[in-house]
């Protein structure tokens, strides 16, 4: 069936189905809009939850980074003590230490540590020795809390054997202070402490004013700091504790809360939670937007439906426009597009019992030509190839453009025996290869301008246009493989 016959057949189908299509279009559009609207309404809750979940997760990650940075800064402040030579060489437990020298050394160490303590505004910044003597700023509150077991109790707080330090809070249920402990040497520990309230600025965020609660807990999920009042030292609320227990870097969506949890470098947890009822308050507003969008979509669908229905009521004009469908190449009016070329070749082969040859001609190194000389120069060589084809094949029955730099031509063959056919085609291919062959001088030497050709003969090689095209393309591929600037006739 030719292209025109197919279009006429389509015209009859359009005429027969015109009214049913109009009705069907209306039914489909209305059903689709209703279905999409109902689906959107039902899923709006999940969309909102996912949105809040993503926001909460990002916030939690940022708070975790902030906390790690803050604790790292305090650890770095602790290393300042090691810049004092006497701090890590002096041992108050040494029995052979001269008393006068010991007093002077401790006074010097205390003065230096006090300067650091004032600079960072620590509660404690001092050294505790194994005999429970101290230098530097060890507050009365700390001394009264730990009494005579300071060194032993602080030593238990060291949890990182590699760095020989550790963080701790909640000693004797006191969650007002956080301690950082680090070995100076085997008989001395550096002790730093701050109020847990100092962490409020670290975990404070504007989202807390929108119903979100941000909590910092220790490894036992006991609250060290919270955006809620009076929660320090308490366990996480039961529902939230169930959601985050045993999890790290997770987001959990429950019936009452949407909760995210992240552990910081020292093993504490940043827990962000927001009641689901707050999320649901936005659902109604989103559903209003959904209904409005559905209404707008319905109006647009009606307008589009009217437009296309008006088109369908004039099928003759549609078919007439389709008759003008591009079958010719945009640049060369005498050259067909690939589809039109195949269709035309089929007509030629079906109506004529004589030999016909299909030649596929491809410019070698076309991409390099564009790279070296520019697109305008390369397109000029395409025009030269088209002119050569039209001049050397005046009896060509059709010419087609297969790709940007590839053309095909069908020519009649009057010879009757295979040897004569092969001889004639070889001569024709040699002519076009010779005619096109040239070169350009460049900085890197001569750049060759050549073509490769693949040839197939009907009906010997193939009876139809598509199969003949495949055979010719195989020949072209072989010619390219053999080094280009050559031709191959399909055997």
């Amino acid at each position: 069936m030719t292209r025109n016959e197919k279009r006429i057949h389509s015209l009859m189908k359009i005429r027969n189905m015109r009214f049913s299509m109009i009705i069907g279009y209306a039914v489909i559009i209305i059903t689709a809009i209703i279905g999409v609207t109902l689906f959107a309404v039902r899923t709006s809750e999940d969309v909102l939850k996912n949105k809040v979940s993503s926001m909460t997760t990002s916030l939690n990650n940022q708070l975790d980074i902030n906390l790690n940075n803050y604790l790292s800064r305090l650890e770095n402040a602790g290393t300042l003590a090691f810049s004092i030579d006497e701090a890590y060489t002096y041992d108050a437990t040494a029995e052979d230490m001269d008393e006068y020298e010991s007093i002077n050394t401790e006074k010097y160490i205390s003065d230096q540590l006090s300067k650091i303590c004032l600079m960072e505004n620590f509660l404690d910044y001092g050294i505790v020795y194994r005999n429970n003597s101290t230098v530097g700023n060890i507050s009365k509150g700390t001394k009264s809390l730990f009494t005579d077991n300071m060194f032993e109790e602080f030593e238990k707080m060291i949890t990182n054997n590699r760095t020989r330090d550790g963080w701790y809070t909640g000693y004797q249920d006191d969650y007002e202070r956080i301690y950082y402990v680090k070995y100076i040497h085997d008989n001395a520990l550096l002790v730093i402490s701050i109020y847990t309230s100092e962490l409020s600025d670290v975990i404070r965020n504007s989202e807390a004013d929108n119903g979100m609660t941000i909590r910092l807990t220790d490894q036992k999920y006991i609250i060290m700091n919270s955006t809620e009042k009076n929660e320090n030292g308490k366990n996480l609320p039961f529902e939230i504790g169930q959601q985050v227990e045993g999890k790290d870097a997770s987001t959990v969506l429950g019936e009452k809360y949407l909760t995210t949890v992240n552990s910081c470098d020292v093993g504490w947890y940043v827990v962000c939670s927001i009641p689901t009822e707050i999320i649901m308050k936005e659902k109604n507003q989103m559903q209003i937007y959904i209904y409005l969008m559905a209404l707008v979509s319905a109006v647009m669908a009606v307008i589009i439906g009217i437009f296309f229905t008006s088109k369908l009521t004039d099928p003759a004009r549609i078919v007439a426009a389709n008759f003008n469908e591009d079958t010719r190449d945009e640049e060369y009016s005498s050259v067909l597009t690939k589809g039109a070329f195949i269709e035309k070749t089929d007509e030629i082969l079906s109506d004529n019992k004589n030999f016909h040859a299909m030649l596929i001609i491809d410019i070698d190194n076309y991409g390099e030509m564009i790279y070296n000389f520019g697109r305008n120069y390369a397109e000029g060589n395409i025009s030269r190839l088209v002119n050569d084809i039209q001049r050397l094949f005046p009896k060509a029955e059709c010419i087609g453009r297969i790709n940007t730099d590839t053309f095909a031509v069908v020519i009649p063959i009057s010879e009757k025996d295979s040897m004569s056919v092969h001889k004639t085609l070889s001569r024709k291919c040699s002519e076009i290869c010779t005619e096109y062959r040239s070169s350009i001088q460049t900085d890197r030497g001569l750049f060759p301008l050549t073509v490769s050709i693949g040839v197939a003969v009907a009906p010997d090689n193939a009876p139809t246009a598509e199969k003949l095209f495949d055979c010719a393309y195989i020949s072209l591929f072989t010619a390219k493989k053999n080094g280009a600037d050559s031709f191959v006739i399909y055997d």
Side-chain angles (χ1 to χ4, degrees):
M1 184 181 292
T2 65
R3 185 172 299 183
N4 288 347
E5 289 173 341
K6 290 178 180 178
R7 289 170 179 159
I8 293 172
H9 180 68
S10 298
L11 172 60
M12 297 303 297
K13 292 179 70 174
I14 291 173
R15 285 175 175 172
N16 294 334
M17 298 176 64
R18 181 173 54 194
F19 295 108
S20 60
M21 286 180 65
I22 294 172
I23 296 172
Y25 172 82
V27 172
I28 291 172
I29 291 298
I30 293 173
T31 302
I33 291 176
I34 293 174
V36 170
T37 302
L38 292 176
F39 177 78
V41 169
R42 291 178 181 178
T43 58
S44 60
E45 180 178 338
D46 291 335
V47 170
L48 274 172
K49 287 180 179 179
N50 290 336
K51 175 185 174 183
V52 176
S53 174
S54 176
M55 177 194 68
T56 307
T57 301
S58 299
L59 172 62
N60 194 300
N61 290 335
Q62 185 58 53
L63 292 175
D64 186 57
I65 293 172
N66 294 346
L67 179 61
N68 285 329
N69 289 339
Y70 182 80
L71 296 178
S72 177
R73 184 171 67 82
L74 296 185
E75 290 177 2
N76 290 336
T79 62
L80 295 177
F82 290 84
S83 64
I84 307 169
D85 293 343
E86 289 80 356
Y88 61 84
T89 58
Y90 175 71
D91 186 354
T93 65
E95 296 180 357
D96 57 349
M97 177 69 67
D98 179 78
E99 184 176 355
Y100 178 75
E101 181 182 354
S102 176
I103 292 172
N104 287 334
T105 302
E106 289 184 5
K107 183 178 184 306
Y108 176 76
I109 295 173
S110 293
D111 290 342
Q112 298 302 312
L113 294 179
S114 295
K115 293 178 182 179
I116 300 174
C117 183
L118 290 173
M119 180 176 64
E120 294 292 342
N121 195 29
F122 294 125
L123 282 174
D124 294 293
Y125 191 92
I127 299 175
V128 178
Y129 295 95
R130 192 173 291 275
N131 60 6
N132 291 317
S133 63
T134 65
V135 295
N137 284 18
I138 302 297
S139 66
K140 292 182 180 179
T142 297
K143 290 179 179 180
S144 62
L145 184 64
F146 287 87
T147 63
D148 295 334
N149 300 316
M150 278 197 296
F151 186 90
E152 180 181 345
E153 294 300 320
F154 279 129
E155 192 174 32
K156 293 177 183 178
M157 297 179 186
I158 294 179
T159 55
N160 192 326
N161 294 326
R162 182 179 63 84
T163 57
R164 304 191 77 191
D165 62 0
W167 287 89
Y168 194 84
T169 188
Y171 182 75
Q172 292 188 1
D173 296 327
D174 178 14
Y175 283 88
E176 296 299 322
R177 300 187 184 203
I178 296 174
Y179 295 93
Y180 173 67
V181 183
K182 185 175 181 66
Y183 273 112
I184 295 289
H185 52 71
D186 289 342
N187 293 320
L189 297 172
L190 174 68
V191 177
I192 300 175
S193 74
I194 60 172
Y195 283 123
T196 53
S197 58
E198 295 287 335
L199 298 176
S200 296
D201 291 336
V202 179
I203 68 170
R204 179 69 60 184
N205 191 276
S206 60
E207 295 298 332
D209 297 330
N210 296 325
M212 179 183 296
T213 301
I214 303 170
R215 297 178 174 93
L216 174 65
T217 77
D218 64 3
Q219 294 93 330
K220 299 178 181 179
Y221 301 103
I222 297 175
I223 300 171
M224 300 162 52
N225 199 296
S226 172
T227 54
E228 294 286 336
K229 294 181 179 179
N230 303 321
E231 283 197 331
N232 288 17
K234 297 180 180 179
N235 292 316
L236 275 176
F238 179 74
E239 296 84 357
I240 298 175
Q242 279 189 321
Q243 289 180 306
V244 304
E245 186 174 358
K247 294 182 175 63
D248 183 16
S250 299
T251 299
V252 184
L253 181 61
E255 292 184 2
K256 293 185 177 181
Y257 295 96
L258 186 150
T259 306
T260 59
V261 58
N262 261 314
S263 66
C264 65
D265 293 342
V266 300
W268 298 337
Y269 296 99
V270 178
V271 181
C272 299
S273 61
I274 182 168
T276 53
E277 62 182 15
I278 292 178
I279 302 174
M280 298 305 295
K281 287 181 179 178
E282 299 182 20
K283 185 183 73 170
N284 294 334
Q285 185 176 3
M286 178 175 280
Q287 288 182 354
I288 292 174
Y289 290 138
I290 292 172
Y291 290 129
L292 288 175
M293 288 300 298
L295 179 61
V296 172
S297 299
V299 173
M300 291 180 64
V302 170
I303 295 173
I304 294 172
I306 293 173
F307 173 77
F308 282 107
T309 301
S310 66
K311 295 292 185 181
L312 291 175
T313 57
D314 190 9
R317 179 169 57 83
I318 296 174
V319 174
N322 286 338
F323 283 157
N324 293 323
E325 179 186 345
D326 289 336
T327 61
R328 303 269 173 188
D329 187 78
E330 293 180 356
E331 298 181 41
Y332 308 103
S333 59
S334 61
V335 179
L336 301 175
T337 61
K338 180 181 177 181
F341 173 80
I342 296 295
E343 184 175 320
K344 180 64 177 177
T345 302
D346 261 331
E347 293 178 3
I348 293 170
L349 298 182
S350 63
D351 295 340
N352 200 322
K353 302 302 180 183
N354 294 330
F355 284 98
H356 288 82
M358 180 184 291
L359 290 74
I360 300 180
I361 307 165
D362 181 79
I363 299 176
D364 298 321
N365 303 322
Y366 184 74
E368 295 181 24
M369 188 188 301
I370 294 176
Y371 177 78
N372 285 296
F373 309 109
R375 186 169 296 279
N376 290 337
Y377 180 84
E379 290 175 352
N381 278 277
I382 290 178
S383 298
R384 183 162 70 89
L385 177 59
V386 173
N387 292 333
D388 290 344
I389 292 172
Q390 292 173 335
R391 180 167 50 80
L392 294 174
F393 300 106
K395 295 183 180 181
E397 299 193 26
C398 65
I399 301 172
R401 189 170 189 174
I402 307 306
N403 287 316
T404 302
D405 58 332
T406 307
F407 293 83
V409 58
V410 174
I411 60 174
I413 302 296
S414 57
E415 289 77 0
K416 300 300 181 183
D417 60 281
S418 298
M419 185 176 296
S420 298
V421 170
H422 193 280
K423 183 177 179 181
T424 299
L425 291 174
S426 296
R427 178 174 54 81
K428 289 287 187 182
C429 291
S430 295
E431 286 179 2
I432 196 163
C433 284
T434 302
E435 188 71 20
Y436 191 82
R437 187 183 300 120
S438 60
S439 61
I440 305 174
Q441 182 66 44
T442 68
D443 294 340
R444 295 183 294 278
L446 290 176
F447 183 86
L449 301 177
T450 59
V451 294
S452 295
I453 306 173
V455 186
V457 179
D460 287 355
N461 298 141
T464 65
E466 287 190 4
K467 292 182 179 180
L468 188 66
F469 180 86
D470 292 340
C471 292
Y473 211 87
I474 291 171
S475 299
L476 174 65
F477 179 78
T478 305
K480 290 277 190 183
K481 188 177 180 182
N482 291 342
D485 191 19
S486 62
F487 62 88
V488 171
I489 300 175
Y490 189 86
D491 188 5

